Amino acid sequence: MIWAEYIAMNIQHLRYALAIARNELSVTQAAQVLGTSQPAISRALKALETELGCEIFARQGRSLAHITPAGERALEIAARAIDEIDALRVMTADLKGDMSGKLSIATTHTQARYVLPPIVKAFRRRYPEVELHLHQGTSEQIADLVATDRAQLAIATGSEGLFGGLVLLPVYRWQRHVIVPRRHPLTKVGKLSITELARHPLITYVFSFSGPSSLHEIFARHGLRPRVAITARDADVIKTYVRLGLGVGIVASVALEAQVDADLAVIDAAHLFPIHTTWVGFRQGTVLRRFTYDFLALFGEHLTPRLVNRAQQLRDANDRNELFRRIALPVR
């Protein structure tokens, strides 16, 4: 085997080992993420451990039990090495003017359905050779997709605690609105109050499993409990059940369309709920392709390559927050 082939083979083996570590020590999950077979990864891992002269993973029967001390060190070095190799490949591709590649984005239904369509359309017009993959899920699912390298970008709102290893870039701000059928009693109320809202069954987004619900906290401050009738991750589903008269809907302002939702009454609730910030994030140390920078700029005009690079250089989240505090984010 010539030297270049030998190096390429071992880089691939390192990628396999890292994928196992990032997917809960599951060879099956690693194979799914990498688009290869479980036996191929098992053979590569065995060859890598033979080459290194140590076990990366301790075994318990046929399963991988934990990462060994030597494996921790090897994977740490491997991650840095592969990041550098990927950076070199990115630089080479961009220097050659290569307009192809893949961009995987993990986001919520609301972002994918209501916010991203014009951005994706403009991006596809500019980069028709780039495969764009949209994965939809809850905040926990989005965090898992990025942590296991199945998505390069994450787009979500709040839940920053789930994304500790990411560079988070704020993009825009939005409010929650209350929606009801046109003849609902709440349409006759002057300024909506939490007390009045507590009298009605609510239909809203699913709650995070990672911490207390902000909705419950808001009601609790007034000594009240919300009467949650239905939760859904999809704003279209919430609106469907509101139309059926099953409750009062609470949705993101960006999920409302004037013509499509003309049969619903929208009640201002800006005084009841805090304003939210939607952000886009990527794993610290990621070297971005030129088309990724362009996608970020399409998503948020203030996300210039210079600002994105500056944010990535700041390792502390508080420093990044300070960087963006001077920028007036658009409100949608």
Side-chain angles (χ1 to χ4, degrees), residues 92-164:
T92 302
D94 284 344
L95 285 175
K96 289 180 177 178
D98 184 358
M99 305 286 275
S100 64
K102 293 182 181 180
L103 181 58
S104 297
I105 301 168
T107 188
T108 63
H109 169 85
T110 297
Q111 302 296 329
R113 165 68 177 81
Y114 295 101
V115 179
L116 291 180
I119 296 161
V120 169
K121 183 178 180 180
F123 180 83
R124 288 289 301 155
R125 190 183 303 120
R126 192 176 301 179
Y127 295 100
E129 299 302 317
V130 174
E131 292 182 22
L132 192 60
H133 302 278
L134 290 178
H135 307 276
Q136 299 173 50
T138 61
S139 294
E140 289 83 1
Q141 290 168 333
I142 293 168
D144 181 64
L145 285 165
V146 179
T148 55
D149 288 332
R150 286 176 286 175
Q152 297 151 279
L153 296 181
I155 298 173
T157 301
S159 303
E160 286 88 347
L162 294 172
F163 302 88

Side-chain angles (χ1 to χ4, degrees), residues 20-87:
I20 294 170
R22 291 169 179 170
N23 284 275
E24 302 177 341
L25 305 188
S26 170
V27 175
T28 301
Q29 285 182 224
Q32 291 174 347
V33 169
L34 295 172
T36 187
S37 68
Q38 183 176 338
I41 289 189
S42 297
R43 286 194 301 271
L45 177 59
K46 185 176 180 180
L48 179 61
E49 290 180 325
T50 299
E51 182 68 26
L52 294 176
C54 67
E55 284 191 340
I56 296 176
F57 303 99
R59 272 74 168 175
Q60 187 171 10
R62 293 188 175 183
S63 300
L64 302 181
H66 59 84
I67 303 173
T68 66
E72 292 277 4
R73 180 65 176 144
L75 291 172
E76 180 184 333
I77 295 171
R80 289 203 305 268
I82 287 177
D83 282 345
E84 292 297 328
I85 290 166
D86 287 344

Side-chain angles (χ1 to χ4, degrees), residues 169-173 277-278 302 324 326-332:
L169 313 173
V171 182
Y172 69 91
R173 309 176 83 194
T277 301
T278 290
H302 59 288
F324 283 95
R326 307 165 198 163
I327 298 172
L329 300 179
V331 178
R332 296 183 180 179

Side-chain angles (χ1 to χ4, degrees), residues 274-294:
I275 196 164
H276 300 274
T277 301
T278 290
W279 49 261
V280 58
F282 54 87
R283 195 159 56 85
Q284 182 75 52
T286 301
V287 180
L288 305 177
R289 289 288 304 272
R290 186 176 300 161
F291 58 70
T292 306
Y293 282 111
D294 283 352

Side-chain angles (χ1 to χ4, degrees), residues 243 256-264:
R243 289 185 172 102
L256 295 171
E257 299 172 299
Q259 291 185 339
V260 176
D261 300 320
D263 60 321
L264 297 174

Side-chain angles (χ1 to χ4, degrees), residues 161-190:
L162 294 172
F163 302 88
L166 269 60
V167 178
L168 303 184
L169 313 173
V171 182
Y172 69 91
R173 309 176 83 194
W174 55 269
Q175 293 277 7
R176 287 188 240 191
H177 286 329
V178 169
I179 55 172
V180 292
R182 284 286 176 186
R183 297 183 179 180
H184 193 277
L186 283 183
T187 59
K188 298 177 176 63
V189 174

